[in-house]
Amino acid sequence: MTLSRRKLLSMGAAGLAGSLWPHNPLMAKTEIGAFTLTSLSDGSLTLPASMVLAPLPEDDRAGAIVEFGIGEVMTPPCNITLLQTDERNILFDVGAGSEFMSSAGFLLDALDEVGLTPDDITDIAFTHAHPDHIWGLVDDFDDLLFPNARYLIGQQEWDYWTNPETVDTIDEGRTTFAVGAARRLARIEDNITFFNDGEEILPGVAARATFGHTPGHMAFEVRHGTNAMMILGDCIGNDHIALAHPTWKTGSDQDMEMGAMTRASLLDQITHDQIPVLGFHMQGNGIGRIERAGDRYRFIQDI
């Protein structure tokens, strides 16, 4: 295993607290027919709980804090999907990189854990262009990290983040998101493939429009034979409030009303079809099943 300068620094800081890693280095692997799917840890985020809770009515907010033990800070994991077929090493999103926050940006270390380098990645499909999903596209010198990859993104997502008006129309708290996305997407504008809802973007991978978290957010259904898994991205952004109260409007979604409608519809489909999921911010490695629990849902981690 190659120790990057950033990993060494992180290990040193974490060692003061009695731990060698700022994230869980164990990678969870499962099979989808003849495909191999691995959840890679990019670390975790450190976010104010108000980012999710602020739009809720006071009673709902207070109830959720008690029910789910939510403190002032939330630390959701960041689970990046690696899909391996006979000919391809496919990433879904590229993590936060080194500029977003120190608790995230460990994708290269995770790839090293499974014996891959950035040169081995053949395709990268983006769920959306928020910092923890796309800022890992470049290194500290602004060079592309995955020189041999072909990039794929939903047409609507690309149009939104590359529109020069977005930085002026997005809410003030997300201005840096817009600037960062536009800068990174500009680096791959000559090597990008666009897709729309329902299209098979790669063999066995179909795009599923899940708008709301961002204007063009996409989930992906990976299928081989009778086996399938839904790669969620952030359309179902956590395993507590999003599942217990899917129709609640939460602040993590740019379009809160559409995000709630998308969440409710997708949960109904997932549970009806009994499709396992890999959630970017779901607990642990994000691999599991979502089941109905009365008028709610619950996440059951499989690995």
Side-chain angles (χ1 to χ4, degrees):
M1 179 177 66
T2 302
L3 293 179
S4 67
R5 181 175 63 86
R6 188 173 185 219
K7 177 187 280 189
L8 286 168
L9 291 172
S10 298
M11 288 173 64
L16 296 176
S19 173
L20 288 177
W21 292 84
H23 66 296
N24 183 354
L26 298 177
M27 303 304 157
K29 184 178 294 186
T30 189
E31 306 295 328
I32 306 296
F35 296 165
T36 299
L37 188 148
T38 305
S39 172
L40 304 175
S41 176
D42 193 51
S44 62
L45 301 183
T46 303
L47 303 171
S50 59
M51 183 173 180
V52 174
L53 299 174
L56 298 178
E58 184 176 348
D59 288 347
D60 289 342
R61 184 167 61 249
I65 289 171
V66 172
E67 180 178 1
F68 303 111
I70 298 173
E72 294 185 2
V73 174
M74 303 176 78
T75 57
C78 298
N79 301 306
I80 295 174
T81 303
L82 168 68
L83 175 64
Q84 294 177 285
T85 69
D86 288 340
E87 300 177 347
R88 289 182 162 93
N89 295 311
I90 305 161
L91 285 178
F92 295 88
D93 298 329
V94 291
S98 61
E99 295 184 8
F100 187 47
M101 58 179 62
S102 61
S103 59
F106 297 93
L107 175 58
L108 296 188
D109 298 328
L111 285 172
D112 192 37
E113 292 282 342
V114 296
L116 295 177
T117 71
D119 290 350
D120 296 321
I121 302 303
T122 58
D123 308 90
I124 295 172
F126 296 108
T127 61
H128 64 298
H130 275 169
D132 51 328
H133 296 257
I134 200 169
W135 281 23
L137 192 61
V138 297
D139 63 17
D140 292 343
F141 302 98
D142 210 35
D143 293 325
L144 288 175
L145 273 172
F146 305 94
N148 301 323
R150 180 171 66 110
Y151 302 97
L152 306 98
I153 195 170
Q155 181 73 66
Q156 190 163 329
E157 187 74 355
W158 174 273
D159 290 346
Y160 176 75
W161 294 107
T162 59
N163 184 339
E165 296 181 3
T166 294
V167 70
D168 297 318
T169 56
I170 200 169
D171 67 84
E172 186 175 317
R174 291 184 168 98
T175 300
T176 57
F177 292 14
V179 173
R183 178 165 70 88
R184 286 161 178 82
L185 292 175
R187 296 299 312 281
I188 57 173
E189 61 183 348
D190 295 328
N191 181 23
I192 191 77
T193 299
F194 304 117
F195 56 82
N196 293 292
D197 182 32
E199 294 181 4
E200 186 176 55
I201 67 168
L202 291 162
V205 181
R208 168 68 187 271
T210 45
F211 302 161
H213 183 69
T214 62
H217 187 287
M218 290 282 184
F220 300 98
E221 184 175 321
V222 176
R223 183 173 293 275
H224 192 271
T226 59
N227 299 285
M229 175 169 280
M230 190 75 74
I231 299 168
L232 297 175
D234 285 5
C235 58
I236 301 175
N238 58 64
D239 49 79
H240 37 80
I241 293 175
L243 299 188
H245 306 285
T247 59
W248 282 7
K249 299 173 185 176
T250 60
S252 56
D253 295 330
Q254 288 185 223
D255 185 328
M256 292 183 285
E257 184 172 353
M258 182 176 289
M261 292 174 59
T262 291
R263 201 158 41 245
S265 175
L266 188 62
L267 284 168
D268 183 66
Q269 180 210 340
I270 287 170
T271 53
H272 179 272
D273 296 343
Q274 297 185 326
I275 300 175
V277 302
L278 199 162
F280 195 91
H281 294 306
M282 305 290 261
Q283 63 178 286
N285 54 55
I287 297 175
R289 296 170 288 118
I290 295 176
E291 296 182 347
R292 287 189 181 272
D295 60 353
R296 298 182 172 197
Y297 299 88
R298 62 184 178 188
F299 177 67
I300 301 172
Q301 189 173 337
D302 281 344
I303 299 176

